[in-house]
């Protein structure tokens, strides 16, 4: 019903004007300008066509041209950090769709970045996109570039305008940026919009494997290297000489090599893969203990006490021939392994585990006094042995590493300050707490046997470590037991490695070892990249590990 009625009769032109006016009001109230198509009218009809056809139209002033309504712009919520392990140190969120691999996408290299070709080809294969080399980045591309002044192994990953740019001051940093991109795409299908700025907390991060007591194939080792690379781990310790076996072919002393061993060609293949993944392989020939495989071929060099009883694995360091054979091996394998470190062992020398070393091993006591003076003892001869072996690998351009129980206090001879201390235990005779090494200004690497020792068969009260304990309780400051050293020593702690020891070699198959160390190694990777308390719970972290690995 109309609210107002027209007063009095309307005829002729007045009636037509009223009709036109009413039609115009109706059109305007419907949201359509006069003369524009009505939503309810058929195509080509206008709002005025609804006026009575019996009356002639009356001209009206033209309506102003309406301003077009703009199409709405799609908006995005602020992005969140990528789901990766280890978690990135910093992510600057942004609004945008992020980046996904697309048929038109490719991997390209920035200016002066030809050295990243291997990284580019690897990433292209992993993402299923073409590698295009040194060309300008186009829509959807991933650009890898060298440059900037950040710390070693750092990178910046930027996602903007449908493209990705990964830049860093060195090839390793850019490579780690590609690992972040790969994991994020694997976990969620995309890399979120924004800027990642990332770098490791520690320069040495890795895995140690005992292949002397248990033979592992080159393929098994290569699989571990690939897993390490995706976790941004950069150091692989290779313990290939011990009482049970010597596992790499030797040209200088082929008589000591075990039947099951790696050929030098296989080692070079392992090293080539490691280098492409920015992993340094650190060889270890442990001495003066743990030399049983060498001594089986040279029994005249085995250490014997005053009654003539031999000590398992221990070489007689009073004999010049003992130093010659070990130095032959150190020089041979220093040439084979191109990395900057060589581990010379020095742990668990059996001559120092008896009540009176000088009484039990008078030949060692005599040699000590002859070399270092009348106050010197067997401990000093062992410390001098460590320094001499470190000097051999230093001549080859390597930094020596040695186990912490080869560094003694209170003697005439002191261990060379340049040797890196690999701290594994506080259970040895005369154990020294880790703060002592640090107070001396020494650099230390963490291999805490409470958390980081995976000993096959669990002998001597060892238990298989869990990823959860490492993730929730351990940091690089926890060098011994469960108590951290003071935070002021953090700069001297170079990093950490997770270690596999094959004391009871048949307790697990190689496949079981690989599966058993998977989560512990993943947790270690998180804590050496960023030792701060993680944001994810253990259950969330474990679920993420299943997504990205």
């Amino acid at each position: 019903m109309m609210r107002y009625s027209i007063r009095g009769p309307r005829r002729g032109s007045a009636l037509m004007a009223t009709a036109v006016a009413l039609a115009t009001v109706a059109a305007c109230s419907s949201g359509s300008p006069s003369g524009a198509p009505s939503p309810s009218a058929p195509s080509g009809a206008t709002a005025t066509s609804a006026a009575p056809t019996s009356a002639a139209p009356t001209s009206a002033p033209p309506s102003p041209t309406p301003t077009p309504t703009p199409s709405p712009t799609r908006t995005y919520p602020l992005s969140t950090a990528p789901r990766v392990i280890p978690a990135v140190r910093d992510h600057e969120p942004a609004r945008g769709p992020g980046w996904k691999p697309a048929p038109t996408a490719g991997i390209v290299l920035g200016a002066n970045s030809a050295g990243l070709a291997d990284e580019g080809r690897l990433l292209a294969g992993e993402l299923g996109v073409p590698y295009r080399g040194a060309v300008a980045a186009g829509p959807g591309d991933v650009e890898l570039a060298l440059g900037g002044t950040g710390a070693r192994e750092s990178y910046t990953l930027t996602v903007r305008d449908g493209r990705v740019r990964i830049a860093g001051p060195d090839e390793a940093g850019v490579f780690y940026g590609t690992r972040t991109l790969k994991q994020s795409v694997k976990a969620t299908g995309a890399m979120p919009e924004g800027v990642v700025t990332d770098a490791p907390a520690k320069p040495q991060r890795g895995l140690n494997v005992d292949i002397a007591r248990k033979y592992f194939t080159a393929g098994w080792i290569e699989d571990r290297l690939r897993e390490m690379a995706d976790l941004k781990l950069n150091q692989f310790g290779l313990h290939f000489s011990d009482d049970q076996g010597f596992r790499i072919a030797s040209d200088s002393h082929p008589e000591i090599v075990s039947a099951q061993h790696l050929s030098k060609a296989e080692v070079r293949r392992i090293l080539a893969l490691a280098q492409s993944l920015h992993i340094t392989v650190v060889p270890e020939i442990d001495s003066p203990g743990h030399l049983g495989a060498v001594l089986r071929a040279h029994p005249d060099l085995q250490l014997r006490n005053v009654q003539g009883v031999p000590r398992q694995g221990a070489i007689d360091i009073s004999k010049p021939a003992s130093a010659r054979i070990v130095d032959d091996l150190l020089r041979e394998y220093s040439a084979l392994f191109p990395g900057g470190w060589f581990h010379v062992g020095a742990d668990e020398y059996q001559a120092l585990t008896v009540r009176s070393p000088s009484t039990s091993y008078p030949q060692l006591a005599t040699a000590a006094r002859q070399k270092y003076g009348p106050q010197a003892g067997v401990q000093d001869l062992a410390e001098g042995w460590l320094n001499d072996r470190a000097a051999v690998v230093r001549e080859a351009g390597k930094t020596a590493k040695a186990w912490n129980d080869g560094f003694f206090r209170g003697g005439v001879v002191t261990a060379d300050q340049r040797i890196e201390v690999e701290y594994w235990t506080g259970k040895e005779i005369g154990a020294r707490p880790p703060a002592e090494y640090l107070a001396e200004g020494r650099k230390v690497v963490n291999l805490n046997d409470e958390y980081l020792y995976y000993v096959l068969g669990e002998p001597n009260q060892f238990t298989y470590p869990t990823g959860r304990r490492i993730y929730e309780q351990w940091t690089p400051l926890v060098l011994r037991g469960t108590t951290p050293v003071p935070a002021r020593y953090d700069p001297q702690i170079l990093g950490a490695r997770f270690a596999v020891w094959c004391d009871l070699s048949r307790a697990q198959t190689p496949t079981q070892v690989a599966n058993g160390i998977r989560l512990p190694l993943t947790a270690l990777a998180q804590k050496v990249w960023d030792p701060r308390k993680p944001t994810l719970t253990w259950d969330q972290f474990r679920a993420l590990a299943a997504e990205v690995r």
Side-chain angles (χ1 to χ4, degrees), residues 65-134:
T65 303
T67 301
T69 303
S71 299
T73 301
R74 183 175 180 181
T75 60
Y76 297 88
L78 276 176
S79 61
T80 57
R83 290 177 53 77
V84 297
I85 296 174
V88 300
R89 301 290 293 274
D90 183 75
H91 176 254
E92 180 183 332
R95 299 185 188 277
W99 181 89
K100 296 180 179 180
T104 57
I107 310 299
V108 303
L109 304 183
N112 304 313
S113 300
L116 296 172
D118 288 345
E119 289 77 11
R121 291 188 181 95
L122 176 63
L123 182 64
E126 291 168 335
L127 297 179
V129 300
Y131 171 71
R132 291 203 280 266

Side-chain angles (χ1 to χ4, degrees), residues 141-183:
D141 282 347
V142 176
E143 180 184 25
L144 310 182
L146 289 172
T149 57
R152 291 182 60 186
E153 300 184 299
S154 66
Y155 69 92
T156 301
L157 190 159
T158 304
V159 180
R160 183 181 297 135
D161 299 329
R163 303 182 188 185
V164 178
R165 188 173 194 270
I166 304 173
D170 56 20
E171 293 179 16
V174 176
F175 176 70
Y176 296 142
T178 69
R179 302 305 86 195
T180 294
L181 179 61
K182 174 190 174 182
Q183 282 196 16

Side-chain angles (χ1 to χ4, degrees), residues 328-527:
D328 286 346
L329 297 171
L330 292 175
R331 292 188 179 101
E332 178 178 0
Y333 294 103
S334 288
L336 178 62
F337 289 86
W341 293 275
F342 204 113
H343 204 305
V344 296
D347 65 311
E348 299 182 318
Y349 188 45
Q350 295 299 305
L352 296 172
T353 63
V354 297
R355 179 173 299 177
S356 176
S358 295
T359 303
S360 295
Y361 302 99
Q363 75 275 31
L364 300 183
T366 299
R369 290 190 295 270
Q370 290 174 345
K371 188 169 185 178
Y372 298 112
Q375 302 303 314
V378 176
Q379 168 187 303
D380 297 299
L381 192 66
E383 202 79 289
W385 174 276
L386 168 60
N387 286 341
D388 291 344
R389 307 296 73 77
V392 170
V393 300
R394 193 176 303 115
E395 289 171 1
K398 316 289 186 184
T399 296
K401 291 176 173 289
W403 299 113
N404 67 282
D405 49 331
F407 295 75
F408 306 108
R409 67 157 79 92
V412 174
V413 181
T414 301
D416 191 298
Q417 196 75 12
R418 293 168 289 184
I419 304 171
E420 293 180 1
V421 180
E422 303 252 317
Y423 199 98
W424 71 282
T425 188
K427 301 171 185 175
E428 76 279 8
I429 295 174
R432 301 173 62 196
E436 280 197 21
Y437 302 85
L438 296 164
E440 293 172 359
R442 297 187 183 277
K443 295 179 179 178
V444 177
V445 179
N446 192 326
L447 288 97
N448 184 342
D449 63 355
E450 175 73 21
Y451 292 95
L452 307 181
Y453 260 37
Y454 192 95
V455 184
L456 266 59
E458 301 182 303
N460 302 321
Q461 299 182 327
F462 281 109
T463 58
Y464 291 128
T466 67
R468 183 169 195 158
R469 283 196 77 212
I470 296 169
Y471 187 76
E472 295 181 341
Q473 301 176 19
W474 177 87
T475 74
L477 291 173
V478 182
L479 284 161
R480 172 180 173 177
T482 60
T483 304
V485 297
R488 67 179 179 273
Y489 292 127
D490 184 66
Q492 292 171 238
I493 301 173
L494 301 177
R497 293 198 307 282
F498 186 84
V500 176
W501 297 104
C502 303
D503 291 40
L504 301 177
S505 61
R506 296 182 180 180
Q508 289 190 339
T509 66
T511 299
Q512 288 172 323
V513 174
N515 292 334
I517 69 174
R518 190 177 181 85
L519 278 176
L521 190 64
T522 306
L524 174 94
Q526 174 61 47
K527 301 303 279 291

